[in-house]
Amino acid sequence: GMILAKLAKADPGGTVANRPLNSLIEIFLPVHPSTNASQAMRLAVLDKISQDVPDTGWQLIRKLLPTSHSIGQYTPKPKYREAGGSKREILTYGMAFDAYAHIVEQALTLAGSDPERWHLLIRGMHNFNPELRSKTYGMVERFLETATEEQKNRIWTDIRDEVNRHVAFKDAKWALPADELNRLSELVERFAPTDPIEKVS
């Protein structure tokens, strides 16, 4: 995993699909990891990548975040050796749930003070479990309290747009519950731009 992470960091890009980052994504997919390594081992390696190669860690984590249509392909398996296949864990819904929670926790840590990263998390937070959504709201609030005016306006716009989207589609299965929308609406009200032109635009 670490070797692939370092290769992904050095990867100049290209049109071939089987790039180091794509291989990493397939290995760590919670729904069908393409490895015989245990979940505990996979998550430990994921933490190590995020710690030692944080930019690659973020690129990996962002692709692993829970969505309503998480899919993937299987990487090739060893041809001549079982490589732990006989001890492969049986994946359960609970394990996938725990893995996604771990991935979201890592994403929140790696977001730091980067508005682009928060933009992605705000747009996808309706796919997080309720406890992690609550944690996300709190971290966004703390970020807004210390952000520059430019950062604040960007994140404020993201939250406002997300609230409006969920209000417009309140009957959709993915829509946030009313109490959470109220909490986000309070952030929209509290951190609204002071410049009336900026607020209207």
Side-chain angles (χ1 to χ4, degrees), residues 4-6 8-9 21 24 49 53-61:
L4 280 172
K6 290 176 181 178
K9 182 179 180 181
L21 183 62
L24 277 172
I49 291 172
V53 198
D55 287 340
T56 300
W58 170 255
Q59 294 305 319
L60 173 58
I61 289 287

Side-chain angles (χ1 to χ4, degrees), residues 118-119 121-123 125 136-145 151-167 176 180-192:
W118 280 113
H119 168 76
L121 293 175
I122 290 167
R123 286 288 293 175
M125 62 190 177
T136 302
Y137 305 153
M139 291 182 71
V140 168
E141 182 174 10
R142 288 192 292 277
F143 173 66
L144 287 168
E145 289 171 344
Q151 291 174 331
K152 188 183 300 183
N153 290 344
R154 169 66 195 276
I155 299 304
W156 177 83
T157 300
D158 289 336
I159 298 170
R160 182 205 57 194
D161 290 350
E162 195 66 5
V163 168
N164 289 342
R165 187 166 74 95
H166 283 263
V167 169
L176 292 171
E180 295 185 33
L181 285 175
N182 289 339
R183 182 174 178 183
L184 290 173
S185 295
E186 289 174 3
L187 293 181
V188 171
E189 187 67 27
R190 178 182 169 192
F191 293 101

Side-chain angles (χ1 to χ4, degrees), residues 1-14:
M2 286 303 301
I3 293 172
L4 280 172
K6 290 176 181 178
L7 285 172
K9 182 179 180 181
D11 186 7

Side-chain angles (χ1 to χ4, degrees), residues 110-149:
L110 291 171
S113 58
D114 188 326
E116 292 301 322
R117 294 182 179 186
W118 280 113
H119 168 76
L120 179 72
L121 293 175
I122 290 167
R123 286 288 293 175
M125 62 190 177
H126 64 277
N127 291 307
F128 302 171
N129 70 48
E131 182 181 344
L132 285 173
R133 286 201 304 268
S134 181
K135 182 174 182 177
T136 302
Y137 305 153
M139 291 182 71
V140 168
E141 182 174 10
R142 288 192 292 277
F143 173 66
L144 287 168
E145 289 171 344
T146 59
T148 65
E149 199 66 26

